[in-house]
Amino acid sequence: MARDEHLIELYLAGRRIASGLRIARPFALTTAHALGPDVLTTKPLLHLRDGTPAHILWGNTPSDLALLRLELNGTTGPLATTAFGEAHQGQSWRATVSVDPKPLTGSVVEPEAVYHDSPHLTVTALRLRCERVLRDPAAYAGSPIEETRQDPPVVLGLLVKPRDTSPRESDEAFAISVTEALRLFNDVTGGKKAEKRTRANQVLHDRGYGSVRPRWTRTEPNRRARRPSEGTDR
């Protein structure tokens, strides 16, 4: 199994359009802004590099997240070599994907920063400091971030676009944790009427998220590196 089995690349009509984070064998996250409003609305069939079909289940612009289901002929369950950790202040991280020769690294400034806040939806994110100033922080969005001293990797979240709408040089970046993504699927897709709920709400109870034992990280024996548990609502 490849070390970066949690990393995916998405293609539309043979053109690479985004990277993303695989959170279970049949499910993955990517950034909504990379897909764009037309793709999120029409939901065309996407593919991974190896031709695996990827279906868009849900997209949410305020969180910059989209949820995908991978067509794997019945293959479910957790990833074999990847765990998901809860970030803490001062923790070192690295981006799985780099658009420069030098890998992007940094530290966690705030584990639960407000990324979006409105009367109907609040989204929290990891506020990150990068070790160098980025000309375009949004160029890195869609890359998973992981602890720097863990092998196999412990994934902390998915880089998303900056909070500011206008591009600018910055050493600040944001990432949404898997825990926050699962909470958003439940909050955003739920509703008073059953017909308003989308397929993403059902994903929370799919066996693809289940049957994985939490394990300790090496760097922090008192914290667990968690994978999404079966039937979780958060």
Side-chain angles (χ1 to χ4, degrees), residues 18-39:
S19 56
L21 169 61
R22 198 170 179 177
I23 56 177
R25 290 186 191 278
F27 297 106
L29 299 173
T30 189
T31 55
H33 87 272
L35 298 184
D38 291 342
V39 171

PDB file of all heavy atoms in Angstrom, residues 18-39:
ATOM      1  N   ALA A  18      -8.003  19.064  -9.327  1.00  0.00           N
ATOM      2  CA  ALA A  18      -7.878  19.236  -7.878  1.00  0.00           C
ATOM      3  C   ALA A  18      -7.182  18.035  -7.261  1.00  0.00           C
ATOM      4  O   ALA A  18      -7.105  16.958  -7.860  1.00  0.00           O
ATOM      5  CB  ALA A  18      -9.259  19.405  -7.241  1.00  0.00           C
ATOM      6  N   SER A  19      -6.669  18.235  -6.057  1.00  0.00           N
ATOM      7  CA  SER A  19      -6.221  17.126  -5.217  1.00  0.00           C
ATOM      8  C   SER A  19      -7.148  17.062  -4.015  1.00  0.00           C
ATOM      9  O   SER A  19      -8.013  17.928  -3.829  1.00  0.00           O
ATOM     10  CB  SER A  19      -4.764  17.323  -4.778  1.00  0.00           C
ATOM     11  OG  SER A  19      -4.600  18.564  -4.123  1.00  0.00           O
ATOM     12  N   GLY A  20      -6.997  16.031  -3.206  1.00  0.00           N
ATOM     13  CA  GLY A  20      -7.906  15.884  -2.089  1.00  0.00           C
ATOM     14  C   GLY A  20      -7.429  14.866  -1.074  1.00  0.00           C
ATOM     15  O   GLY A  20      -6.349  14.272  -1.215  1.00  0.00           O
ATOM     16  N   LEU A  21      -8.239  14.651  -0.060  1.00  0.00           N
ATOM     17  CA  LEU A  21      -7.924  13.786   1.074  1.00  0.00           C
ATOM     18  C   LEU A  21      -8.913  12.629   1.130  1.00  0.00           C
ATOM     19  O   LEU A  21     -10.114  12.833   1.261  1.00  0.00           O
ATOM     20  CB  LEU A  21      -7.997  14.588   2.385  1.00  0.00           C
ATOM     21  CG  LEU A  21      -7.953  13.801   3.688  1.00  0.00           C
ATOM     22  CD1 LEU A  21      -6.636  13.027   3.805  1.00  0.00           C
ATOM     23  CD2 LEU A  21      -8.135  14.743   4.875  1.00  0.00           C
ATOM     24  N   ARG A  22      -8.379  11.438   1.050  1.00  0.00           N
ATOM     25  CA  ARG A  22      -9.202  10.235   1.162  1.00  0.00           C
ATOM     26  C   ARG A  22      -9.374   9.914   2.642  1.00  0.00           C
ATOM     27  O   ARG A  22      -8.390   9.693   3.357  1.00  0.00           O
ATOM     28  CB  ARG A  22      -8.498   9.098   0.438  1.00  0.00           C
ATOM     29  CG  ARG A  22      -9.372   7.917   0.098  1.00  0.00           C
ATOM     30  CD  ARG A  22      -8.587   7.006  -0.816  1.00  0.00           C
ATOM     31  NE  ARG A  22      -9.334   5.815  -1.178  1.00  0.00           N
ATOM     32  CZ  ARG A  22      -8.880   4.905  -2.018  1.00  0.00           C
ATOM     33  NH1 ARG A  22      -7.677   5.054  -2.559  1.00  0.00           N
ATOM     34  NH2 ARG A  22      -9.604   3.846  -2.303  1.00  0.00           N
ATOM     35  N   ILE A  23     -10.604   9.885   3.146  1.00  0.00           N
ATOM     36  CA  ILE A  23     -10.842   9.679   4.568  1.00  0.00           C
ATOM     37  C   ILE A  23     -11.303   8.258   4.880  1.00  0.00           C
ATOM     38  O   ILE A  23     -11.359   7.862   6.041  1.00  0.00           O
ATOM     39  CB  ILE A  23     -11.858  10.703   5.129  1.00  0.00           C
ATOM     40  CG1 ILE A  23     -13.165  10.665   4.346  1.00  0.00           C
ATOM     41  CG2 ILE A  23     -11.251  12.098   5.105  1.00  0.00           C
ATOM     42  CD1 ILE A  23     -14.222  11.609   4.899  1.00  0.00           C
ATOM     43  N   ALA A  24     -11.675   7.498   3.878  1.00  0.00           N
ATOM     44  CA  ALA A  24     -11.966   6.070   3.971  1.00  0.00           C
ATOM     45  C   ALA A  24     -11.812   5.546   2.553  1.00  0.00           C
ATOM     46  O   ALA A  24     -11.691   6.329   1.612  1.00  0.00           O
ATOM     47  CB  ALA A  24     -13.373   5.816   4.510  1.00  0.00           C
ATOM     48  N   ARG A  25     -11.801   4.250   2.380  1.00  0.00           N
ATOM     49  CA  ARG A  25     -11.583   3.735   1.026  1.00  0.00           C
ATOM     50  C   ARG A  25     -12.558   4.326   0.010  1.00  0.00           C
ATOM     51  O   ARG A  25     -12.151   4.743  -1.068  1.00  0.00           O
ATOM     52  CB  ARG A  25     -11.660   2.209   1.026  1.00  0.00           C
ATOM     53  CG  ARG A  25     -10.492   1.548   1.733  1.00  0.00           C
ATOM     54  CD  ARG A  25     -10.536   0.054   1.569  1.00  0.00           C
ATOM     55  NE  ARG A  25      -9.581  -0.602   2.446  1.00  0.00           N
ATOM     56  CZ  ARG A  25      -8.294  -0.743   2.181  1.00  0.00           C
ATOM     57  NH1 ARG A  25      -7.811  -0.270   1.054  1.00  0.00           N
ATOM     58  NH2 ARG A  25      -7.481  -1.347   3.029  1.00  0.00           N
ATOM     59  N   PRO A  26     -13.860   4.394   0.321  1.00  0.00           N
ATOM     60  CA  PRO A  26     -14.787   4.887  -0.709  1.00  0.00           C
ATOM     61  C   PRO A  26     -15.119   6.376  -0.622  1.00  0.00           C
ATOM     62  O   PRO A  26     -15.931   6.853  -1.393  1.00  0.00           O
ATOM     63  CB  PRO A  26     -16.038   4.047  -0.464  1.00  0.00           C
ATOM     64  CG  PRO A  26     -16.023   3.765   1.000  1.00  0.00           C
ATOM     65  CD  PRO A  26     -14.593   3.783   1.437  1.00  0.00           C
ATOM     66  N   PHE A  27     -14.534   7.142   0.305  1.00  0.00           N
ATOM     67  CA  PHE A  27     -14.919   8.537   0.469  1.00  0.00           C
ATOM     68  C   PHE A  27     -13.703   9.451   0.535  1.00  0.00           C
ATOM     69  O   PHE A  27     -12.650   9.061   1.051  1.00  0.00           O
ATOM     70  CB  PHE A  27     -15.763   8.721   1.727  1.00  0.00           C
ATOM     71  CG  PHE A  27     -17.060   7.984   1.679  1.00  0.00           C
ATOM     72  CD1 PHE A  27     -17.235   6.828   2.428  1.00  0.00           C
ATOM     73  CD2 PHE A  27     -18.098   8.409   0.865  1.00  0.00           C
ATOM     74  CE1 PHE A  27     -18.419   6.123   2.376  1.00  0.00           C
ATOM     75  CE2 PHE A  27     -19.281   7.712   0.799  1.00  0.00           C
ATOM     76  CZ  PHE A  27     -19.446   6.560   1.560  1.00  0.00           C
ATOM     77  N   ALA A  28     -13.860  10.671   0.010  1.00  0.00           N
ATOM     78  CA  ALA A  28     -12.750  11.621  -0.022  1.00  0.00           C
ATOM     79  C   ALA A  28     -13.279  13.041   0.077  1.00  0.00           C
ATOM     80  O   ALA A  28     -14.446  13.317  -0.225  1.00  0.00           O
ATOM     81  CB  ALA A  28     -11.937  11.456  -1.306  1.00  0.00           C
ATOM     82  N   LEU A  29     -12.401  13.945   0.505  1.00  0.00           N
ATOM     83  CA  LEU A  29     -12.699  15.370   0.558  1.00  0.00           C
ATOM     84  C   LEU A  29     -11.834  16.092  -0.464  1.00  0.00           C
ATOM     85  O   LEU A  29     -10.696  15.714  -0.714  1.00  0.00           O
ATOM     86  CB  LEU A  29     -12.374  15.949   1.941  1.00  0.00           C
ATOM     87  CG  LEU A  29     -13.116  15.406   3.149  1.00  0.00           C
ATOM     88  CD1 LEU A  29     -12.510  15.994   4.425  1.00  0.00           C
ATOM     89  CD2 LEU A  29     -14.591  15.727   3.065  1.00  0.00           C
ATOM     90  N   THR A  30     -12.376  17.155  -1.037  1.00  0.00           N
ATOM     91  CA  THR A  30     -11.588  18.065  -1.843  1.00  0.00           C
ATOM     92  C   THR A  30     -12.112  19.473  -1.578  1.00  0.00           C
ATOM     93  O   THR A  30     -13.016  19.663  -0.760  1.00  0.00           O
ATOM     94  CB  THR A  30     -11.652  17.703  -3.335  1.00  0.00           C
ATOM     95  OG1 THR A  30     -10.693  18.509  -4.055  1.00  0.00           O
ATOM     96  CG2 THR A  30     -13.038  17.948  -3.917  1.00  0.00           C
ATOM     97  N   THR A  31     -11.543  20.474  -2.250  1.00  0.00           N
ATOM     98  CA  THR A  31     -11.983  21.845  -2.016  1.00  0.00           C
ATOM     99  C   THR A  31     -13.069  22.245  -3.021  1.00  0.00           C
ATOM    100  O   THR A  31     -12.974  21.943  -4.206  1.00  0.00           O
ATOM    101  CB  THR A  31     -10.808  22.833  -2.123  1.00  0.00           C
ATOM    102  OG1 THR A  31     -10.166  22.664  -3.388  1.00  0.00           O
ATOM    103  CG2 THR A  31      -9.809  22.586  -1.016  1.00  0.00           C
ATOM    104  N   ALA A  32     -14.077  22.931  -2.509  1.00  0.00           N
ATOM    105  CA  ALA A  32     -15.188  23.352  -3.362  1.00  0.00           C
ATOM    106  C   ALA A  32     -14.730  24.363  -4.409  1.00  0.00           C
ATOM    107  O   ALA A  32     -15.176  24.334  -5.560  1.00  0.00           O
ATOM    108  CB  ALA A  32     -16.306  23.938  -2.499  1.00  0.00           C
ATOM    109  N   HIS A  33     -13.833  25.268  -4.023  1.00  0.00           N
ATOM    110  CA  HIS A  33     -13.431  26.309  -4.978  1.00  0.00           C
ATOM    111  C   HIS A  33     -12.644  25.726  -6.151  1.00  0.00           C
ATOM    112  O   HIS A  33     -12.694  26.255  -7.256  1.00  0.00           O
ATOM    113  CB  HIS A  33     -12.627  27.399  -4.267  1.00  0.00           C
ATOM    114  CG  HIS A  33     -11.167  27.124  -4.167  1.00  0.00           C
ATOM    115  ND1 HIS A  33     -10.628  26.409  -3.118  1.00  0.00           N
ATOM    116  CD2 HIS A  33     -10.117  27.436  -4.978  1.00  0.00           C
ATOM    117  CE1 HIS A  33      -9.327  26.312  -3.280  1.00  0.00           C
ATOM    118  NE2 HIS A  33      -8.981  26.924  -4.394  1.00  0.00           N
ATOM    119  N   ALA A  34     -11.909  24.619  -5.925  1.00  0.00           N
ATOM    120  CA  ALA A  34     -11.166  23.992  -7.019  1.00  0.00           C
ATOM    121  C   ALA A  34     -12.112  23.354  -8.031  1.00  0.00           C
ATOM    122  O   ALA A  34     -11.848  23.370  -9.235  1.00  0.00           O
ATOM    123  CB  ALA A  34     -10.193  22.956  -6.474  1.00  0.00           C
ATOM    124  N   LEU A  35     -13.212  22.800  -7.550  1.00  0.00           N
ATOM    125  CA  LEU A  35     -14.199  22.228  -8.470  1.00  0.00           C
ATOM    126  C   LEU A  35     -14.940  23.324  -9.222  1.00  0.00           C
ATOM    127  O   LEU A  35     -15.223  23.194 -10.405  1.00  0.00           O
ATOM    128  CB  LEU A  35     -15.190  21.352  -7.700  1.00  0.00           C
ATOM    129  CG  LEU A  35     -14.612  20.134  -6.970  1.00  0.00           C
ATOM    130  CD1 LEU A  35     -15.743  19.326  -6.340  1.00  0.00           C
ATOM    131  CD2 LEU A  35     -13.781  19.266  -7.893  1.00  0.00           C
ATOM    132  N   GLY A  36     -15.268  24.390  -8.514  1.00  0.00           N
ATOM    133  CA  GLY A  36     -15.977  25.505  -9.145  1.00  0.00           C
ATOM    134  C   GLY A  36     -17.476  25.341  -9.085  1.00  0.00           C
ATOM    135  O   GLY A  36     -17.998  24.228  -8.957  1.00  0.00           O
ATOM    136  N   PRO A  37     -18.223  26.445  -9.175  1.00  0.00           N
ATOM    137  CA  PRO A  37     -19.681  26.406  -9.037  1.00  0.00           C
ATOM    138  C   PRO A  37     -20.381  25.571 -10.098  1.00  0.00           C
ATOM    139  O   PRO A  37     -21.374  24.902  -9.808  1.00  0.00           O
ATOM    140  CB  PRO A  37     -20.095  27.883  -9.114  1.00  0.00           C
ATOM    141  CG  PRO A  37     -18.931  28.588  -9.753  1.00  0.00           C
ATOM    142  CD  PRO A  37     -17.729  27.824  -9.348  1.00  0.00           C
ATOM    143  N   ASP A  38     -19.896  25.599 -11.325  1.00  0.00           N
ATOM    144  CA  ASP A  38     -20.547  24.824 -12.389  1.00  0.00           C
ATOM    145  C   ASP A  38     -20.457  23.326 -12.117  1.00  0.00           C
ATOM    146  O   ASP A  38     -21.440  22.586 -12.266  1.00  0.00           O
ATOM    147  CB  ASP A  38     -19.918  25.140 -13.751  1.00  0.00           C
ATOM    148  CG  ASP A  38     -20.236  26.542 -14.226  1.00  0.00           C
ATOM    149  OD1 ASP A  38     -21.197  27.141 -13.695  1.00  0.00           O
ATOM    150  OD2 ASP A  38     -19.524  27.044 -15.121  1.00  0.00           O
ATOM    151  N   VAL A  39     -19.273  22.857 -11.709  1.00  0.00           N
ATOM    152  CA  VAL A  39     -19.092  21.431 -11.418  1.00  0.00           C
ATOM    153  C   VAL A  39     -19.904  21.026 -10.198  1.00  0.00           C
ATOM    154  O   VAL A  39     -20.531  19.959 -10.172  1.00  0.00           O
ATOM    155  CB  VAL A  39     -17.598  21.108 -11.216  1.00  0.00           C
ATOM    156  CG1 VAL A  39     -17.402  19.688 -10.697  1.00  0.00           C
ATOM    157  CG2 VAL A  39     -16.846  21.294 -12.525  1.00  0.00           C
TER     158      VAL A  39
END
